[in-house]
Amino acid sequence: MQAEQRIDFASLIEQDRSERQKLEWQGSFLDYLDLVKAKPELAELAHRRLHDMIAGPGVRDLDLESEPRAKRVFGDEPVKIYDFFKDEFFGMERTLEKIARYFHSAAMGGEESRQVLYLMGPVGSGKSSLVERLKRGLEELPPIYVIDGCPIYEQPLHLIPRHLRPAFEEMLGVRIEGDLCPACRWRLKEEFNGRYENVPVRTVNFSKRARRGIGVVPPVDPNNQDTSVLIGSEDISKLDRYSEGDPRVLELNGAFNVGNRGMVEFIEVFKNETEYLHTMITATQEKFVPAPGRHGTIYVDSCIVAHSNEAEWQKFKADHTNEAILDRIVVVKVPYNLRLSEEVKIYQKFLKRSKFEARIAPHTLEVASMFAILSRLEPTPKCDLVTKLKIYNGEEVLEKGRPKKLTVHELRDDAKREGLFGVSTRFIMKALDTALTQNNGSIHPINVREALIGMVKEADLADDVRKHQLEFLQDTLHKIYLELLEKDITKAFVYSFQGQAETLFQNYLDHAEAYVTKTKVKDPVTKDEMQPDEAFLKSIEEQIAIIGPAADGFRQEVIAYLWSATRRGESVSYSSYEPLKEAIEKKLMNSVRDISRIITKARTRDEQQRQKYDAMVENLIGQGYNEDSIDTILKYASNHLWKD
Ligand SMILES: Nc1ncnc2c1ncn2[C@@H]1O[C@H](COP(=O)(O)OP(=O)(O)OP(=O)(O)O)[C@@H](O)[C@H]1O
Ligand SMILES: [Mg+2]
């Protein structure tokens, strides 16, 4: 038997327990005052808590100068990266910044602390996941201090009577906001004879499941809207036991009660009756909610985060009677991601979490992600959609051998609703799931594309949208995938692809430089001087359609690039100058096209061909292809790539 490392579960459990116990605390209100004196942050309000939670793990500026790709995506506007969100959310930097900014100004106690944070975006854009992350963040925080036995986990400083507040605020160096809840008020009087210094205080952790500091309001059946979901109720069975006005009948278990000190989430918020929304607005704006029955009001301190899709938002916004509510909402759009590199990460995250031991052929997630993003783009007269996708992805796009001068900003400015429509992340995940299930966990662009085509055909879509999406899948992506595939196969055929590409690159530079400076090329071995080989230069340039008089300009640009790179002390390689990289790869691809075609297509192969074929398969596996899908992929290549 293999020697497995033994895990000492007992000591792990014990260690965890003792660490948690260290954070636990119980004492009287008098003791608590000493704690607050030492740690004034104990008096902080919910928005500050959430702000610190988000900023705490670290925030940094994305280094746009050393990352040319990011620079092309974001332009000159700085981008903040929040570690709190980093590993789970992709391509939504601007949205996260806005959320963080909301919490920042709310933490400062400004107007935003009295407004609802509302996330608006299309289905599957990550709204619920964002709120889940916030809730999980609260659960990971150290415990907070509450009045022991308070149904709404009240801040103990509320015990200090009004007339003493200024003095205590001064002594403790904190601000005290809010009043005792009816339940605590009653206990203070009846149980403690008004001696608030004796009231017990203890720590509690936030918990979604136990409804401590985290309240959730799902959309409620409109025929059955009962505010008890929000503010609790009176326990009817106790009504005859206690006199009128006795708060012991109160069940303070509404979302606003339990969400005190933390947050309250409103799912699909505008599906609720306006009465609900008014309670929500009062809770944020005035920081109180009515107590059930005749028990006055209850102070609450909570971040209210609501979300819904755009259709609901538009409907709500169109109704003028809702103006008062609209004025108290901070809208943060959560659009779909439009960056290919980031979309791929969403599905990597998804696959990592799924139970499948997925074997994923190269380009699978890329092709699926391209489909998602293409469906989300608005057409523009400035370029085709694939070009737009590449520009949004920060890629350098070539046009007649030169980088295309078209920026993300320009394209973005023209688009109106981009990111708010198109295929959702969930749609793609379902397609991946289907392909995984049908193919025993082995997926490649071919079977994922099939799954997507099937789903699009069945989906409830407008005819033109369906047509559009099928075109992407059956035509655009089919071609793009074949190009990617041909490049992989070429690489697998060309012995030492990288090395050969570098050699071509160096030769090109030598000859182009001599051509531009009207000098000669020195043979590295014989030291003979010779004229620059124009035929060779042309054979590279024609790969990217640079012919005739355009060649001179192109050679000068290459050399200018080379010189400025050398001046900056950068080492250049074949992949550093995009136009030349593409030309060189195409040149290599053409040089082996015939042989790849013959060998891949052949029904029977002679000994020599078989060896070449096997070596190519081996190389593809080295590139990340899996044995169980490689036959399918090569058959696909030979059927589609090299038509006879
Ligand atoms: N930009 C993104 N980065 C990381 N994951 C994402 C992103 N967008 C969506 N997802 C993932 O997609 C899935 C669906 O997201 P979620 O349920 O949060 O969407 P939603 O906006 O609440 O949708 P709905 O309106 O249908 O409720 C989740 O697994 C989420 O993590
Ligand atoms: Mg949701």
Side-chain angles (χ1 to χ4, degrees), residues 88-92 121-130 267-268 307-309 334-337 342-343 345-346 349-350 353 425-426 429:
E88 279 174 61
F89 298 94
F90 309 107
M92 48 199 307
V123 290
S125 65
K127 303 178 295 296
S128 299
S129 310
L130 280 169
I267 299 170
E268 306 201 35
H307 49 104
S308 81
N309 60 41
V334 187
Y336 289 134
N337 161 55
E342 305 307 294
E343 192 73 10
K345 290 182 193 160
I346 298 177
K349 173 182 87 169
F350 165 72
R353 286 181 187 173
T425 46
R426 249 184 243 122
M429 292 187 210

Side-chain angles (χ1 to χ4, degrees), residues 448-628:
V448 168
R449 200 176 64 112
E450 260 165 40
L452 284 167
I453 290 175
M455 282 171 62
V456 170
K457 284 186 175 159
E458 276 177 23
D460 184 16
L461 293 169
D463 284 346
D464 59 328
V465 175
R466 187 197 324 280
K467 190 169 152 259
H468 213 47
Q469 295 191 354
L470 285 175
E471 227 169 76
F472 289 144
L473 288 167
Q474 290 168 330
D475 187 46
T476 319
L477 289 170
H478 173 68
K479 286 188 189 130
I480 290 180
Y481 178 51
L482 285 176
E483 268 173 41
L484 294 168
L485 192 52
E486 187 179 8
K487 205 183 269 185
D488 286 353
I489 294 176
T490 307
K491 285 186 185 166
F493 263 119
V494 180
Y495 170 74
S496 164
F497 183 89
Q498 177 93 11
Q500 293 201 32
E502 291 300 352
T503 309
L504 278 179
F505 178 68
Q506 281 309 331
N507 281 343
Y508 184 90
L509 290 184
D510 290 346
H511 287 263
E513 188 172 22
Y515 177 88
V516 167
T517 56
K518 301 201 169 40
T519 52
K520 294 199 170 151
V521 184
K522 204 184 251 170
D523 188 296
V525 185
T526 62
K527 306 283 182 227
D528 284 346
E529 297 216 324
M530 54 189 171
Q531 289 295 334
D533 182 351
E534 272 203 77
F536 165 70
L537 292 174
K538 280 183 188 155
S539 77
I540 301 277
E541 290 151 1
E542 68 188 18
Q543 305 293 336
I544 49 172
I546 290 177
I547 35 179
D552 273 16
F554 183 75
R555 289 171 202 169
Q556 272 159 9
E557 277 162 32
V558 173
I559 296 312
Y561 166 80
L562 172 72
W563 285 346
S564 82
T566 320
R567 220 177 18 249
R568 289 194 302 270
E570 289 169 11
S571 67
V572 289
S573 82
Y574 98 91
S575 55
S576 37
Y577 189 61
E578 191 63 38
L580 210 45
K581 167 171 176 258
E582 187 171 320
I584 286 172
E585 285 183 347
K586 282 200 171 143
K587 167 97 181 153
L588 282 171
M589 218 132 87
N590 284 332
S591 70
V592 294
R593 180 160 286 146
D594 278 341
I595 173 148
S596 347
R597 183 174 63 87
I598 293 166
I599 290 184
T600 319
K601 273 182 99 82
R603 293 253 162 78
T604 54
R605 302 185 179 95
D606 63 26
E607 183 53 26
Q608 203 195 359
Q609 286 176 327
R610 203 180 51 75
Q611 277 178 9
K612 281 215 165 102
Y613 183 83
D614 290 348
M616 174 205 47
V617 170
E618 190 97 342
N619 282 343
L620 283 173
I621 289 172
Q623 283 181 38
Y625 282 83
N626 326 110
E627 289 182 44
D628 53 357

Side-chain angles (χ1 to χ4, degrees), residues 219-254:
V220 188
D221 173 6
N223 302 318
N224 186 23
Q225 292 229 339
D226 173 352
T227 48
S228 67
V229 175
L230 300 180
I231 61 168
S233 57
E234 286 180 308
D235 184 344
I236 305 173
S237 67
K238 290 182 184 160
L239 279 176
D240 47 0
R241 235 186 310 152
Y242 300 118
S243 62
E244 199 183 316
D246 189 322
R248 280 176 294 179
V249 302
L250 288 178
E251 298 276 344
L252 294 181
N253 55 8

